[in-house]
Amino acid sequence: VDVAVIGGGPAGSTAARLLADWGHSVAIITRPPPRPALAESLPPSSLRLLEYLGWRPLVDAAGFIRSTGNTYIWDSREADTGLAMRQATFGGMERGYQLDRAVFNDLLLAEAVRHGARLIDHATVVSVNAGVVAYRQSDGDHTVWARWVLDCSGRAGVVARLGWRRPLPRLRTLAIAAVWEHADGWPHIDPTHTVVESHRDGWAWSIPTSPTQRHVTMMLDPRLTSIATRQALREAYLGALDATPGMRGLTEGARLTGDPFARDASPYAAHQVAAPNLLLVGDAASFVDPLSSYGVKKALASAWLAAVVAHTCLEDARMLRHALAFYDARERAMFESLERQRAQLAHAALAGDARSAFWEERAEADALALASPNEDREIESLRGDREVLAAFEELKRRERIVLRHAATVERVEQPLVRGNRIVLETHLRSPQLPFAVRFARQVDLLRLWHLAPSAAEVPELYEAYQRVAGVVPLPDFLGALSLLIGKGFLVFA
Ligand SMILES: Cc1cc2nc3c(=O)[nH]c(=O)nc-3n(C[C@H](O)[C@H](O)[C@H](O)COP(=O)(O)OP(=O)(O)OC[C@H]3O[C@@H](n4cnc5c(N)ncnc54)[C@H](O)[C@@H]3O)c2cc1C
């Protein structure tokens, strides 16, 4: 086949469906995920991505509970003293999804097959060697030969574990989940909300899967909790429930429908996620603490880009080096930004209880992740840059602008995504920035740079830009123009 996809989770199904749609022969080799399935929350910010990937009608039709927000208890002492939980409603009419992961997985996988991917199910991949994927089924061992292999096997990391994975031992986390049934529903909270509560030695969350059923999950540090037996697991769960008064209150009058079950939720990263004809995708590449609620979204985004990379290289092998470097940088950037968000949430929890070793360790972001260069982050941080702000003030002050191209600007070819291909396109480089730029927010800096000298006023330039490049919000346009001036791409004549 053109592409062997190992694992039929959200990442695997997404990559397989896209590649099949783009005309490639694809095999998904997968085994059933662990049962019972978790309940997971998808934030409203995932909607656009689901839409873009073509998953939205399917997910909408599945009838998942649509969440209207989150309820936080970031300091459990509040619940002790009877203070109300804090409710945060999503902005506008936004709604997230409360997923039963078993249903979600099955939907996506079936659709990938409907789009032409070949499913090799109940198969465990045991090795990958130069495109030969060996797997085991009940009737024996088999192989598939593939031009590209995508490791979408999640935490199992069939390829990822062969020296690519970088554990983050100080963030080890064990999730113990259980399903609760309350015949009358959940009287004190918004029934659609995810409820999140921190305590000194961990945190807990609860996600509804029906009006009467909720998963209530305890996140613990496995170094501090022994779970050698089923009984010990149950005791650890009930002990943690006891330490979270909000969750305890939530489950009062409810019935535990089965034994608590455990999942490793420890974060990890990777030294490298791309090699010739091989990519680590989704959780196989990295895992961010579930506190961020972005695991599935990250897996979908990663799968889309992996499909674009494989498609590009299958069509034009000369793009290999650029495509791999692009994928590696993007995956790193995504992990890094989620890692920083996670550390900020841990900071908030630490503020609630300053004596907590659990939160203190988690309040620091992964040092290696933060040390790596990240163009997206740099561009975002330019919004507060002194020279860019000075340029913005100057633009406001001047009635007329006469701009010319700075003589020191260089044009360089660098990769970006156009449709379903990675292509080399012109970027601009200035001695005042350590990286070349092409887009800032939605603004095409190259086009703006070309047009700028021909306009005499900012409104005229804004109109001229939109005529050729399409509508962009005025603040983004002004930010982009200020960047070009502040960082020496354009100078006032
Ligand atoms: C406790 C917990 C709570 C979470 N909560 C949320 C949440 O609320 N929101 C959110 O967005 N994310 C959440 N996540 C993260 C989310 O589950 C993952 O990010 C997401 O499942 C990643 O998708 P994936 O396709 O990369 O991997 P997976 O979903 O793990 O899929 C991997 C697939 O590969 C298969 N596989 C594994 N090994 C092999 C093998 N050797 N051969 C063949 N097949 C194999 C597996 O059976 C599985 O089907 C949570 C995770 C945990 C642990």
Side-chain angles (χ1 to χ4, degrees), residues 406-447:
T408 48
V409 174
E410 270 182 78
R411 290 167 218 219
V412 288
E413 297 297 297
Q414 288 202 351
L416 54 77
V417 178
R418 286 264 179 225
N420 59 5
R421 293 281 281 266
I422 290 179
V423 293
L424 289 179
E425 285 201 7
T426 307
H427 287 56
L428 295 175
R429 189 186 279 290
S430 149
Q432 290 180 45
L433 270 186
F435 49 85
V437 293
R438 177 63 194 259
F439 288 93
R441 295 258 156 143
Q442 303 170 42
V443 182
D444 185 337
L445 296 170
L446 181 68
R447 281 200 161 160

mmCIF file of all heavy atoms in Angstrom, residues 406-447:
data_model
loop_
_atom_site.group_PDB
_atom_site.id
_atom_site.type_symbol
_atom_site.label_atom_id
_atom_site.label_comp_id
_atom_site.label_asym_id
_atom_site.label_seq_id
_atom_site.Cartn_x
_atom_site.Cartn_y
_atom_site.Cartn_z
ATOM 1 N N ALA A 406 12.853 48.068 2.537
ATOM 2 C CA ALA A 406 14.198 48.208 3.108
ATOM 3 C C ALA A 406 15.182 47.420 2.240
ATOM 4 O O ALA A 406 14.862 46.312 1.774
ATOM 5 C CB ALA A 406 14.217 47.679 4.535
ATOM 6 N N ALA A 407 16.369 47.973 2.050
ATOM 7 C CA ALA A 407 17.357 47.348 1.150
ATOM 8 C C ALA A 407 17.877 46.036 1.729
ATOM 9 O O ALA A 407 18.359 45.170 0.984
ATOM 10 C CB ALA A 407 18.516 48.315 0.927
ATOM 11 N N THR A 408 17.760 45.845 3.041
ATOM 12 C CA THR A 408 18.346 44.654 3.681
ATOM 13 C C THR A 408 17.440 43.427 3.635
ATOM 14 O O THR A 408 17.820 42.356 4.094
ATOM 15 C CB THR A 408 18.639 44.970 5.164
ATOM 16 O OG1 THR A 408 17.468 45.577 5.706
ATOM 17 C CG2 THR A 408 19.839 45.871 5.323
ATOM 18 N N VAL A 409 16.227 43.575 3.084
ATOM 19 C CA VAL A 409 15.283 42.440 3.084
ATOM 20 C C VAL A 409 15.705 41.396 2.051
ATOM 21 O O VAL A 409 16.047 41.727 0.925
ATOM 22 C CB VAL A 409 13.852 42.930 2.774
ATOM 23 C CG1 VAL A 409 12.895 41.751 2.630
ATOM 24 C CG2 VAL A 409 13.369 43.848 3.882
ATOM 25 N N GLU A 410 15.681 40.138 2.506
ATOM 26 C CA GLU A 410 15.999 39.030 1.577
ATOM 27 C C GLU A 410 14.751 38.208 1.336
ATOM 28 O O GLU A 410 13.886 38.119 2.209
ATOM 29 C CB GLU A 410 16.992 38.083 2.261
ATOM 30 C CG GLU A 410 18.436 38.385 2.068
ATOM 31 C CD GLU A 410 19.208 37.301 2.796
ATOM 32 O OE1 GLU A 410 19.320 36.196 2.256
ATOM 33 O OE2 GLU A 410 19.657 37.569 3.932
ATOM 34 N N ARG A 411 14.670 37.566 0.194
ATOM 35 C CA ARG A 411 13.574 36.624 -0.071
ATOM 36 C C ARG A 411 14.143 35.211 -0.041
ATOM 37 O O ARG A 411 15.153 34.963 -0.699
ATOM 38 C CB ARG A 411 12.958 36.868 -1.435
ATOM 39 C CG ARG A 411 12.188 38.146 -1.493
ATOM 40 C CD ARG A 411 11.901 38.422 -2.931
ATOM 41 N NE ARG A 411 12.002 39.825 -3.182
ATOM 42 C CZ ARG A 411 11.178 40.478 -3.987
ATOM 43 N NH1 ARG A 411 10.221 39.831 -4.609
ATOM 44 N NH2 ARG A 411 11.326 41.751 -4.180
ATOM 45 N N VAL A 412 13.494 34.346 0.720
ATOM 46 C CA VAL A 412 13.974 32.956 0.791
ATOM 47 C C VAL A 412 12.800 32.005 0.576
ATOM 48 O O VAL A 412 11.654 32.338 0.910
ATOM 49 C CB VAL A 412 14.621 32.654 2.177
ATOM 50 C CG1 VAL A 412 15.955 33.343 2.318
ATOM 51 C CG2 VAL A 412 13.705 33.032 3.328
ATOM 52 N N GLU A 413 13.074 30.835 0.030
ATOM 53 C CA GLU A 413 12.031 29.833 -0.193
ATOM 54 C C GLU A 413 11.917 28.928 1.031
ATOM 55 O O GLU A 413 12.917 28.357 1.457
ATOM 56 C CB GLU A 413 12.371 28.971 -1.423
ATOM 57 C CG GLU A 413 12.424 29.728 -2.732
ATOM 58 C CD GLU A 413 11.081 30.331 -3.105
ATOM 59 O OE1 GLU A 413 10.132 29.556 -3.313
ATOM 60 O OE2 GLU A 413 10.991 31.577 -3.170
ATOM 61 N N GLN A 414 10.720 28.855 1.601
ATOM 62 C CA GLN A 414 10.514 27.977 2.764
ATOM 63 C C GLN A 414 9.171 27.259 2.633
ATOM 64 O O GLN A 414 8.281 27.735 1.928
ATOM 65 C CB GLN A 414 10.544 28.810 4.045
ATOM 66 C CG GLN A 414 11.944 29.286 4.366
ATOM 67 C CD GLN A 414 12.128 29.636 5.835
ATOM 68 O OE1 GLN A 414 11.179 29.677 6.599
ATOM 69 N NE2 GLN A 414 13.347 29.886 6.206
ATOM 70 N N PRO A 415 9.007 26.115 3.357
ATOM 71 C CA PRO A 415 7.768 25.357 3.184
ATOM 72 C C PRO A 415 6.563 25.960 3.911
ATOM 73 O O PRO A 415 6.727 26.572 4.968
ATOM 74 C CB PRO A 415 8.103 23.984 3.793
ATOM 75 C CG PRO A 415 9.279 24.202 4.667
ATOM 76 C CD PRO A 415 9.996 25.418 4.179
ATOM 77 N N LEU A 416 5.397 25.780 3.308
ATOM 78 C CA LEU A 416 4.126 26.033 3.983
ATOM 79 C C LEU A 416 3.071 25.131 3.336
ATOM 80 O O LEU A 416 3.326 24.517 2.303
ATOM 81 C CB LEU A 416 3.741 27.519 3.960
ATOM 82 C CG LEU A 416 3.672 28.298 2.661
ATOM 83 C CD1 LEU A 416 2.419 27.971 1.888
ATOM 84 C CD2 LEU A 416 3.653 29.795 2.987
ATOM 85 N N VAL A 417 1.888 25.055 3.970
ATOM 86 C CA VAL A 417 0.848 24.168 3.429
ATOM 87 C C VAL A 417 -0.077 24.959 2.514
ATOM 88 O O VAL A 417 -0.558 26.032 2.884
ATOM 89 C CB VAL A 417 0.004 23.546 4.569
ATOM 90 C CG1 VAL A 417 -1.104 22.658 3.990
ATOM 91 C CG2 VAL A 417 0.874 22.738 5.508
ATOM 92 N N ARG A 418 -0.283 24.443 1.320
ATOM 93 C CA ARG A 418 -1.311 24.968 0.401
ATOM 94 C C ARG A 418 -2.221 23.810 0.057
ATOM 95 O O ARG A 418 -1.772 22.829 -0.554
ATOM 96 C CB ARG A 418 -0.685 25.475 -0.892
ATOM 97 C CG ARG A 418 0.031 26.778 -0.759
ATOM 98 C CD ARG A 418 -0.839 27.961 -1.158
ATOM 99 N NE ARG A 418 -0.092 29.187 -0.991
ATOM 100 C CZ ARG A 418 -0.559 30.280 -0.420
ATOM 101 N NH1 ARG A 418 -1.786 30.317 0.035
ATOM 102 N NH2 ARG A 418 0.181 31.365 -0.322
ATOM 103 N N GLY A 419 -3.483 23.874 0.486
ATOM 104 C CA GLY A 419 -4.412 22.767 0.240
ATOM 105 C C GLY A 419 -3.908 21.513 0.929
ATOM 106 O O GLY A 419 -3.705 21.508 2.135
ATOM 107 N N ASN A 420 -3.680 20.446 0.130
ATOM 108 C CA ASN A 420 -3.207 19.210 0.761
ATOM 109 C C ASN A 420 -1.736 18.925 0.420
ATOM 110 O O ASN A 420 -1.293 17.792 0.467
ATOM 111 C CB ASN A 420 -4.100 18.018 0.370
ATOM 112 C CG ASN A 420 -4.125 17.797 -1.125
ATOM 113 O OD1 ASN A 420 -3.412 18.463 -1.863
ATOM 114 N ND2 ASN A 420 -4.953 16.862 -1.564
ATOM 115 N N ARG A 421 -0.998 19.988 0.093
ATOM 116 C CA ARG A 421 0.416 19.819 -0.248
ATOM 117 C C ARG A 421 1.300 20.771 0.544
ATOM 118 O O ARG A 421 0.897 21.888 0.862
ATOM 119 C CB ARG A 421 0.637 20.128 -1.737
ATOM 120 C CG ARG A 421 0.002 19.149 -2.704
ATOM 121 C CD ARG A 421 0.806 17.880 -2.865
ATOM 122 N NE ARG A 421 1.939 18.057 -3.761
ATOM 123 C CZ ARG A 421 1.915 17.790 -5.056
ATOM 124 N NH1 ARG A 421 0.806 17.366 -5.637
ATOM 125 N NH2 ARG A 421 2.993 17.937 -5.792
ATOM 126 N N ILE A 422 2.523 20.321 0.811
ATOM 127 C CA ILE A 422 3.523 21.232 1.341
ATOM 128 C C ILE A 422 4.290 21.782 0.143
ATOM 129 O O ILE A 422 4.731 21.004 -0.719
ATOM 130 C CB ILE A 422 4.452 20.525 2.336
ATOM 131 C CG1 ILE A 422 3.625 20.214 3.590
ATOM 132 C CG2 ILE A 422 5.665 21.388 2.684
ATOM 133 C CD1 ILE A 422 4.330 19.509 4.671
ATOM 134 N N VAL A 423 4.386 23.081 0.079
ATOM 135 C CA VAL A 423 5.055 23.708 -1.069
ATOM 136 C C VAL A 423 6.108 24.688 -0.556
ATOM 137 O O VAL A 423 6.037 25.133 0.591
ATOM 138 C CB VAL A 423 4.037 24.480 -1.958
ATOM 139 C CG1 VAL A 423 3.074 23.538 -2.635
ATOM 140 C CG2 VAL A 423 3.277 25.510 -1.133
ATOM 141 N N LEU A 424 7.048 24.979 -1.421
ATOM 142 C CA LEU A 424 8.032 26.006 -1.065
ATOM 143 C C LEU A 424 7.525 27.339 -1.584
ATOM 144 O O LEU A 424 7.165 27.438 -2.750
ATOM 145 C CB LEU A 424 9.383 25.675 -1.699
ATOM 146 C CG LEU A 424 10.123 24.489 -1.102
ATOM 147 C CD1 LEU A 424 11.440 24.268 -1.841
ATOM 148 C CD2 LEU A 424 10.377 24.683 0.386
ATOM 149 N N GLU A 425 7.443 28.311 -0.711
ATOM 150 C CA GLU A 425 7.008 29.635 -1.159
ATOM 151 C C GLU A 425 7.907 30.693 -0.565
ATOM 152 O O GLU A 425 8.568 30.480 0.461
ATOM 153 C CB GLU A 425 5.552 29.864 -0.767
ATOM 154 C CG GLU A 425 4.614 29.079 -1.657
ATOM 155 C CD GLU A 425 3.194 29.621 -1.675
ATOM 156 O OE1 GLU A 425 2.941 30.698 -1.091
ATOM 157 O OE2 GLU A 425 2.346 28.945 -2.271
ATOM 158 N N THR A 426 7.874 31.864 -1.215
ATOM 159 C CA THR A 426 8.761 32.948 -0.804
ATOM 160 C C THR A 426 8.382 33.463 0.592
ATOM 161 O O THR A 426 7.212 33.702 0.876
ATOM 162 C CB THR A 426 8.663 34.097 -1.826
ATOM 163 O OG1 THR A 426 8.892 33.538 -3.106
ATOM 164 C CG2 THR A 426 9.668 35.192 -1.524
ATOM 165 N N HIS A 427 9.370 33.575 1.442
ATOM 166 C CA HIS A 427 9.238 34.224 2.748
ATOM 167 C C HIS A 427 10.167 35.430 2.753
ATOM 168 O O HIS A 427 11.095 35.517 1.943
ATOM 169 C CB HIS A 427 9.656 33.280 3.876
ATOM 170 C CG HIS A 427 8.663 32.175 4.156
ATOM 171 N ND1 HIS A 427 8.235 31.287 3.201
ATOM 172 C CD2 HIS A 427 8.035 31.820 5.310
ATOM 173 C CE1 HIS A 427 7.371 30.436 3.747
ATOM 174 N NE2 HIS A 427 7.234 30.734 5.038
ATOM 175 N N LEU A 428 9.958 36.325 3.689
ATOM 176 C CA LEU A 428 10.813 37.513 3.804
ATOM 177 C C LEU A 428 11.711 37.372 5.017
ATOM 178 O O LEU A 428 11.276 36.911 6.082
ATOM 179 C CB LEU A 428 9.949 38.770 3.975
ATOM 180 C CG LEU A 428 9.060 39.155 2.793
ATOM 181 C CD1 LEU A 428 8.179 40.342 3.166
ATOM 182 C CD2 LEU A 428 9.918 39.487 1.572
ATOM 183 N N ARG A 429 12.944 37.801 4.845
ATOM 184 C CA ARG A 429 13.877 37.755 5.967
ATOM 185 C C ARG A 429 14.456 39.156 6.173
ATOM 186 O O ARG A 429 14.807 39.841 5.220
ATOM 187 C CB ARG A 429 15.005 36.765 5.650
ATOM 188 C CG ARG A 429 15.901 36.480 6.827
ATOM 189 C CD ARG A 429 17.064 35.621 6.390
ATOM 190 N NE ARG A 429 16.759 34.200 6.291
ATOM 191 C CZ ARG A 429 16.531 33.409 7.344
ATOM 192 N NH1 ARG A 429 16.557 33.890 8.557
ATOM 193 N NH2 ARG A 429 16.299 32.135 7.161
ATOM 194 N N SER A 430 14.507 39.552 7.452
ATOM 195 C CA SER A 430 15.093 40.854 7.797
ATOM 196 C C SER A 430 16.175 40.610 8.845
ATOM 197 O O SER A 430 16.031 39.706 9.676
ATOM 198 C CB SER A 430 14.000 41.761 8.375
ATOM 199 O OG SER A 430 14.539 42.662 9.316
ATOM 200 N N PRO A 431 17.246 41.405 8.835
ATOM 201 C CA PRO A 431 18.304 41.196 9.845
ATOM 202 C C PRO A 431 17.775 41.364 11.271
ATOM 203 O O PRO A 431 18.381 40.887 12.214
ATOM 204 C CB PRO A 431 19.326 42.291 9.534
ATOM 205 C CG PRO A 431 18.978 42.823 8.197
ATOM 206 C CD PRO A 431 17.555 42.489 7.903
ATOM 207 N N GLN A 432 16.614 42.002 11.416
ATOM 208 C CA GLN A 432 16.093 42.232 12.770
ATOM 209 C C GLN A 432 15.267 41.075 13.335
ATOM 210 O O GLN A 432 14.743 41.165 14.433
ATOM 211 C CB GLN A 432 15.248 43.502 12.783
ATOM 212 C CG GLN A 432 16.079 44.753 12.603
ATOM 213 C CD GLN A 432 15.201 45.986 12.620
ATOM 214 O OE1 GLN A 432 14.335 46.130 13.454
ATOM 215 N NE2 GLN A 432 15.434 46.877 11.675
ATOM 216 N N LEU A 433 15.086 40.003 12.560
ATOM 217 C CA LEU A 433 14.319 38.840 13.063
ATOM 218 C C LEU A 433 15.124 37.564 12.817
ATOM 219 O O LEU A 433 15.732 37.424 11.752
ATOM 220 C CB LEU A 433 12.989 38.710 12.325
ATOM 221 C CG LEU A 433 11.763 39.430 12.869
ATOM 222 C CD1 LEU A 433 10.544 39.023 12.061
ATOM 223 C CD2 LEU A 433 11.513 39.108 14.341
ATOM 224 N N PRO A 434 15.089 36.605 13.770
ATOM 225 C CA PRO A 434 15.892 35.395 13.601
ATOM 226 C C PRO A 434 15.265 34.367 12.657
ATOM 227 O O PRO A 434 15.824 33.317 12.427
ATOM 228 C CB PRO A 434 15.973 34.825 15.017
ATOM 229 C CG PRO A 434 14.786 35.369 15.729
ATOM 230 C CD PRO A 434 14.452 36.686 15.089
ATOM 231 N N PHE A 435 14.065 34.627 12.142
ATOM 232 C CA PHE A 435 13.419 33.653 11.246
ATOM 233 C C PHE A 435 12.739 34.411 10.101
ATOM 234 O O PHE A 435 12.449 35.613 10.213
ATOM 235 C CB PHE A 435 12.392 32.814 12.013
ATOM 236 C CG PHE A 435 11.438 33.633 12.845
ATOM 237 C CD1 PHE A 435 10.298 34.162 12.289
ATOM 238 C CD2 PHE A 435 11.710 33.879 14.185
ATOM 239 C CE1 PHE A 435 9.433 34.929 13.050
ATOM 240 C CE2 PHE A 435 10.847 34.647 14.953
ATOM 241 C CZ PHE A 435 9.701 35.171 14.387
ATOM 242 N N ALA A 436 12.497 33.696 9.018
ATOM 243 C CA ALA A 436 11.812 34.314 7.877
ATOM 244 C C ALA A 436 10.302 34.268 8.115
ATOM 245 O O ALA A 436 9.809 33.375 8.805
ATOM 246 C CB ALA A 436 12.165 33.556 6.613
ATOM 247 N N VAL A 437 9.563 35.235 7.559
ATOM 248 C CA VAL A 437 8.113 35.283 7.801
ATOM 249 C C VAL A 437 7.350 35.276 6.486
ATOM 250 O O VAL A 437 7.842 35.734 5.451
ATOM 251 C CB VAL A 437 7.714 36.554 8.598
ATOM 252 C CG1 VAL A 437 8.271 36.502 10.003
ATOM 253 C CG2 VAL A 437 8.169 37.830 7.888
ATOM 254 N N ARG A 438 6.123 34.763 6.551
ATOM 255 C CA ARG A 438 5.226 34.876 5.402
ATOM 256 C C ARG A 438 3.831 35.312 5.869
ATOM 257 O O ARG A 438 3.216 36.167 5.253
ATOM 258 C CB ARG A 438 5.150 33.538 4.662
ATOM 259 C CG ARG A 438 4.185 33.526 3.493
ATOM 260 C CD ARG A 438 4.597 34.513 2.398
ATOM 261 N NE ARG A 438 3.533 34.748 1.451
ATOM 262 C CZ ARG A 438 3.476 34.178 0.249
ATOM 263 N NH1 ARG A 438 4.443 33.356 -0.133
ATOM 264 N NH2 ARG A 438 2.472 34.418 -0.553
ATOM 265 N N PHE A 439 3.336 34.686 6.952
ATOM 266 C CA PHE A 439 2.017 35.061 7.452
ATOM 267 C C PHE A 439 2.105 35.525 8.901
ATOM 268 O O PHE A 439 2.909 34.998 9.672
ATOM 269 C CB PHE A 439 1.048 33.869 7.388
ATOM 270 C CG PHE A 439 0.627 33.539 5.995
ATOM 271 C CD1 PHE A 439 1.314 32.584 5.263
ATOM 272 C CD2 PHE A 439 -0.435 34.199 5.394
ATOM 273 C CE1 PHE A 439 0.943 32.282 3.963
ATOM 274 C CE2 PHE A 439 -0.812 33.908 4.092
ATOM 275 C CZ PHE A 439 -0.128 32.945 3.375
ATOM 276 N N ALA A 440 1.296 36.506 9.274
ATOM 277 C CA ALA A 440 1.106 36.853 10.681
ATOM 278 C C ALA A 440 -0.400 36.891 10.883
ATOM 279 O O ALA A 440 -1.095 37.640 10.190
ATOM 280 C CB ALA A 440 1.720 38.207 11.006
ATOM 281 N N ARG A 441 -0.870 36.046 11.828
ATOM 282 C CA ARG A 441 -2.321 35.826 11.904
ATOM 283 C C ARG A 441 -2.804 35.446 10.497
ATOM 284 O O ARG A 441 -2.234 34.598 9.877
ATOM 285 C CB ARG A 441 -3.027 37.069 12.438
ATOM 286 C CG ARG A 441 -2.645 37.401 13.874
ATOM 287 C CD ARG A 441 -3.744 36.954 14.779
ATOM 288 N NE ARG A 441 -3.250 36.724 16.120
ATOM 289 C CZ ARG A 441 -3.946 37.023 17.201
ATOM 290 N NH1 ARG A 441 -5.126 37.591 17.096
ATOM 291 N NH2 ARG A 441 -3.483 36.722 18.381
ATOM 292 N N GLN A 442 -3.797 36.192 9.982
ATOM 293 C CA GLN A 442 -4.288 35.775 8.653
ATOM 294 C C GLN A 442 -3.692 36.615 7.533
ATOM 295 O O GLN A 442 -4.144 36.542 6.392
ATOM 296 C CB GLN A 442 -5.797 35.923 8.608
ATOM 297 C CG GLN A 442 -6.507 35.157 9.688
ATOM 298 C CD GLN A 442 -7.974 35.539 9.740
ATOM 299 O OE1 GLN A 442 -8.636 35.695 8.728
ATOM 300 N NE2 GLN A 442 -8.489 35.687 10.944
ATOM 301 N N VAL A 443 -2.736 37.462 7.845
ATOM 302 C CA VAL A 443 -2.263 38.418 6.834
ATOM 303 C C VAL A 443 -1.037 37.883 6.096
ATOM 304 O O VAL A 443 -0.078 37.406 6.712
ATOM 305 C CB VAL A 443 -1.935 39.772 7.505
ATOM 306 C CG1 VAL A 443 -1.484 40.784 6.459
ATOM 307 C CG2 VAL A 443 -3.140 40.285 8.273
ATOM 308 N N ASP A 444 -1.092 37.960 4.770
ATOM 309 C CA ASP A 444 0.013 37.537 3.932
ATOM 310 C C ASP A 444 1.025 38.697 3.882
ATOM 311 O O ASP A 444 0.814 39.712 3.214
ATOM 312 C CB ASP A 444 -0.529 37.223 2.523
ATOM 313 C CG ASP A 444 0.549 36.654 1.623
ATOM 314 O OD1 ASP A 444 1.749 36.898 1.893
ATOM 315 O OD2 ASP A 444 0.186 35.973 0.646
ATOM 316 N N LEU A 445 2.113 38.528 4.621
ATOM 317 C CA LEU A 445 3.077 39.630 4.775
ATOM 318 C C LEU A 445 3.770 39.963 3.455
ATOM 319 O O LEU A 445 4.087 41.121 3.190
ATOM 320 C CB LEU A 445 4.120 39.256 5.839
ATOM 321 C CG LEU A 445 3.553 39.069 7.250
ATOM 322 C CD1 LEU A 445 4.604 38.463 8.170
ATOM 323 C CD2 LEU A 445 3.067 40.393 7.830
ATOM 324 N N LEU A 446 3.979 38.940 2.632
ATOM 325 C CA LEU A 446 4.664 39.187 1.359
ATOM 326 C C LEU A 446 3.821 40.104 0.467
ATOM 327 O O LEU A 446 4.315 41.062 -0.116
ATOM 328 C CB LEU A 446 4.942 37.855 0.652
ATOM 329 C CG LEU A 446 5.667 37.960 -0.678
ATOM 330 C CD1 LEU A 446 7.102 38.443 -0.491
ATOM 331 C CD2 LEU A 446 5.674 36.607 -1.407
ATOM 332 N N ARG A 447 2.521 39.810 0.402
ATOM 333 C CA ARG A 447 1.622 40.631 -0.429
ATOM 334 C C ARG A 447 1.559 42.057 0.106
ATOM 335 O O ARG A 447 1.608 43.020 -0.661
ATOM 336 C CB ARG A 447 0.221 40.034 -0.426
ATOM 337 C CG ARG A 447 0.117 38.873 -1.348
ATOM 338 C CD ARG A 447 -1.308 38.611 -1.708
ATOM 339 N NE ARG A 447 -1.359 37.796 -2.909
ATOM 340 C CZ ARG A 447 -2.407 37.087 -3.260
ATOM 341 N NH1 ARG A 447 -3.481 37.101 -2.528
ATOM 342 N NH2 ARG A 447 -2.393 36.382 -4.359
#
